[in-house]
Amino acid sequence: AQSVTQLGSHVSVSEGALVLLRCNYSSSVPPYLFWYVQYPNQGLQLLLKYTTGATLVKGINGFEAEFKKSETSFHLTKPSAHMSDAAEYFCAVSAPGGGSQGNLIFGKGTKLSVKP
Amino acid sequence: EPEVTQTPSHQVTQMGQEVILRCVPISNHLYFYWYRQILGQKVEFLVSFYNNEISEKSEIFDDQFSVERPDGSNFTLKIRSTKLEDSAMYFCASSEMKGASYGYTFGSGTRLTVV
């Protein structure tokens, strides 16, 4: 069975500081990994995803994440936080193949606050 | 950019009542999904739908739940007799191809409150 753990339900950073949101997963097969963002009163928007190939993936709005198989991690980073980054971020995992394992398994989410 | 539209944004209903949550997926998408998030908990898969039938469902999706695509545009989730524990944010999603790797587009959700 697959699962996702996001460390820290709430992270607060200053504007311009590094953003690091942690995600660890467990999967019996090589996973597909995702980060979604939810701005207030909006839907879940895909930030970036890892399926195969390069383990460092770049997404929208300057975010990137690195798949580390040895650490079963997929942490999300951004070098310099902006006020507009304040949102809730969800890590998710799925198994390849698109079958019953192809559905998304989400973490609990991390709410990011950015202080001026 | 194409959007998945969900209505209403917030619904309050009395325990035991039926509710229908509505979604308009992206027009060229073929696969449709419902997820829910109980306050403070994880976003959970409920059901996937393709070619006018359920493809997969989770253990949460019991006989109280049903889905339907009544016309060419809407995709609905019905809860027959709501319980307090059905209070949650319900997200609809659609995708062009099967499987999360192709990318789901989510709606902004319907917050259901059962009183």
Side-chain angles (χ1 to χ4, degrees):
Chain A
Q2 297 169 300
S3 66
V4 174
T5 302
Q6 289 184 242
L7 295 175
S9 58
H10 194 180
V11 170
S12 182
V13 301
S14 297
E15 193 172 20
L18 171 72
V19 176
L20 170 61
L21 304 182
R22 299 177 187 274
C23 173
N24 288 87
Y25 69 90
S26 96
S27 176
S28 56
V29 297
Y32 292 160
L33 294 157
F34 307 82
W35 275 99
Y36 281 83
V37 61
Q38 185 180 28
Y39 298 104
N41 301 315
Q42 295 188 30
L44 295 164
Q45 180 182 0
L46 182 65
L47 262 183
L48 49 79
K49 65 180 179 181
Y50 168 78
T51 54
T52 57
T55 55
L56 180 63
V57 291
K58 295 185 187 298
I60 60 173
N61 302 336
F63 284 93
E64 61 183 37
E66 186 171 11
F67 169 56
K68 292 188 176 179
K69 186 179 177 182
S70 61
E71 298 177 8
T72 60
S73 69
F74 191 58
H75 302 330
L76 181 71
T77 60
K78 181 174 179 177
S80 177
H82 192 272
M83 296 296 290
S84 60
D85 295 326
E88 189 152 20
Y89 293 79
F90 295 90
C91 183
V93 64
S94 77
S100 62
Q101 296 174 323
N103 292 309
L104 290 169
I105 309 296
F106 283 90
K108 279 193 175 184
T110 298
K111 189 163 285 189
L112 176 67
S113 301
V114 182
K115 299 174 290 189
Chain B
E1 185 162 334
E3 289 184 344
V4 173
T5 304
Q6 288 187 244
T7 55
S9 57
H10 191 184
Q11 176 140 10
V12 181
T13 189
Q14 292 212 322
M15 191 168 53
Q17 294 297 303
E18 175 185 284
V19 293
I20 297 176
L21 310 183
R22 300 181 191 279
C23 170
V24 179
I26 293 174
S27 60
N28 65 333
H29 285 186
L30 301 175
Y31 297 86
F32 313 113
Y33 312 86
W34 284 100
Y35 284 75
R36 79 171 185 190
Q37 184 183 26
I38 295 172
L39 189 64
Q41 298 187 27
K42 297 183 178 186
V43 178
E44 302 169 293
F45 168 71
L46 291 178
V47 66
S48 60
F49 190 87
Y50 170 70
N51 201 26
N52 281 321
E53 60 184 27
I54 290 174
S55 304
E56 294 153 68
K57 58 183 180 179
S58 70
E59 58 271 17
I60 302 168
F61 194 89
D62 61 22
D63 292 344
Q64 291 297 314
F65 291 90
S66 62
V67 289
E68 194 177 37
R69 190 159 162 80
D71 53 43
S73 60
N74 288 285
F75 178 52
T76 62
L77 173 69
K78 182 193 290 186
I79 309 174
R80 276 183 248 289
S81 177
T82 49
K83 301 185 280 262
L84 294 176
E85 53 265 38
D86 294 326
S87 295
M89 179 73 91
Y90 288 81
F91 293 105
C92 174
S94 68
S95 65
E96 198 171 352
M97 304 283 284
K98 187 178 183 182
S101 64
Y102 294 101
Y104 292 178
T105 301
F106 282 87
S108 56
T110 293
R111 181 167 296 285
L112 176 65
T113 303
V114 182
V115 297

